[in-house]
Amino acid sequence: MTQQYILIETPVDGVGLIRLNRPEALNALNSDVINQISTAMEAFDADDTIGCIILTGSDRAFAAGADIKEMEQRSVVGMLTGDKLTDWTRIARISKPVIAAVSGWALGGGCELAMMCDMIVASESAMFGQPEINLGIMPGAGGTQRLTHAVGKAIAMEVMLGDRRLTAAEALHYGLVNRVYPVERYLDEAIKLAAKIATMPGVATRMIKAAVNKAYDLSLQQGLDYEKRNFYLLFGTEDKDEGMKAFIEKRPPQWKNR
């Protein structure tokens, strides 16, 4: 029987929380952990009562990296034929907003996992890095791309080639994280942010997330066309009718998420 490496809860209405629970390995990410995370995220994504998802670890470690013992015996053929990053792709396809609440170590795959989320709320002890070069390999779950988009080429090169670690304050300065709080507050603040997002109209929320992510994949004109398409489509939703009617009537809207 596969060991359960995550804990799942709904701390407040509309928010689904996934907590990595592999403390003996500082939440190191093996294939079972990633599969369980992606499965839980997909369940929250399909749950109409959930509007925002939080992924977190412990105060000591969000995730200290990939499970090296699992990776050490793998070959080129095994990596290619086994497509070991399939479950990571499942996480990237979640349509609802996802917030990473990060404290302590977020290294290697842990840093990549945090960057796959839409926002990062960090504790003052958070430490981000991509130390794969020390193992003779490189980031393979998006680190070279997402970190470069977030902090720029020069800093990304130093992090990956020089094994530089970014403190929470540096990560905030470079735009990698949204907010930094004391360790005793970071998760509560992430839940507050998620709860606020969860009160927003769900269809518009998902379309905004999709459009922002397209900014990384498309030219400016293609991105503008995609944005315009989503904007027009929202005029066919009940939430558009309710939102505009509530604004005119000066009352809070009652979203139906459709």
Side-chain angles (χ1 to χ4, degrees):
M1 182 177 178
T2 301
Q3 185 173 348
Q4 190 67 21
Y5 289 125
I6 63 171
L7 302 174
I8 300 170
E9 59 182 289
T10 52
V12 296
D13 288 346
V15 175
L17 189 147
I18 302 166
R19 188 190 304 270
L20 285 93
N21 186 39
R22 200 183 178 202
E24 74 286 353
L26 294 178
N27 292 330
L29 304 169
N30 62 23
S31 55
D32 287 334
V33 175
I34 295 299
N35 177 265
Q36 290 174 23
I37 292 170
S38 57
T39 299
M41 281 197 180
E42 288 170 345
F44 279 140
D45 209 28
D47 187 340
D48 291 339
T49 68
I50 298 298
C52 190
I53 302 167
I54 296 174
L55 178 64
T56 193
S58 67
D59 291 348
R60 185 182 178 194
F62 175 73
D67 191 324
I68 307 305
K69 292 180 179 179
E70 183 182 69
M71 293 175 63
E72 194 268 334
Q73 298 298 323
R74 289 178 177 169
S75 65
V76 174
V77 173
M79 293 298 288
L80 288 172
T81 58
D83 195 9
K84 299 301 182 182
L85 296 177
T86 297
D87 287 334
W88 292 78
T89 304
R90 292 167 60 195
I91 295 171
R93 291 175 179 166
I94 298 301
S95 66
K96 292 176 182 176
V98 182
I99 299 171
V102 177
S103 185
W105 300 111
L107 303 178
C111 186
E112 291 176 303
L113 182 61
M115 291 190 295
M116 293 179 78
C117 300
D118 303 303
M119 290 158 278
I120 301 177
V121 174
S123 83
E124 292 172 341
S125 74
M127 190 72 69
F128 301 86
Q130 299 287 168
E132 287 89 347
I133 195 168
N134 295 317
L135 302 173
I137 57 172
M138 63 179 283
T144 63
Q145 305 303 300
R146 291 190 176 96
L147 188 64
T148 303
H149 277 296
V151 305
K153 176 184 174 182
I155 300 301
M157 286 288 192
E158 187 176 356
V159 168
M160 287 179 271
L161 297 179
D163 192 20
R164 174 177 173 179
R165 310 294 167 85
L166 298 179
T167 66
E170 289 173 323
L172 180 64
H173 173 73
Y174 291 123
L176 180 61
V177 308
N178 294 73
R179 306 178 186 184
V180 177
Y181 296 101
V183 174
E184 61 271 17
R185 287 180 51 202
Y186 80 100
L187 183 55
D188 288 340
E189 295 295 339
I191 292 171
K192 288 180 184 178
L193 176 59
K196 181 177 182 180
I197 293 170
T199 66
M200 302 300 178
V203 180
T205 298
R206 290 193 294 274
M207 285 199 172
I208 290 170
K209 170 176 174 170
V212 171
N213 284 330
K214 284 295 183 183
Y216 290 101
D217 303 327
L218 304 175
S219 69
L220 175 59
Q221 188 55 57
Q222 290 172 323
L224 291 171
D225 290 342
Y226 185 87
E227 176 188 89
K228 182 168 63 176
R229 167 190 171 275
N230 283 10
F231 176 66
Y232 289 165
L233 287 173
L234 286 171
F235 276 72
T237 65
E238 293 182 33
D239 283 342
K240 170 264 176 184
D241 295 336
E242 168 62 12
M244 294 191 177
K245 185 176 181 180
F247 180 84
I248 293 170
E249 296 175 354
K250 296 181 172 56
R251 62 172 175 80
Q254 301 296 315
W255 306 121
K256 299 181 180 179
N257 294 322
R258 59 179 184 263

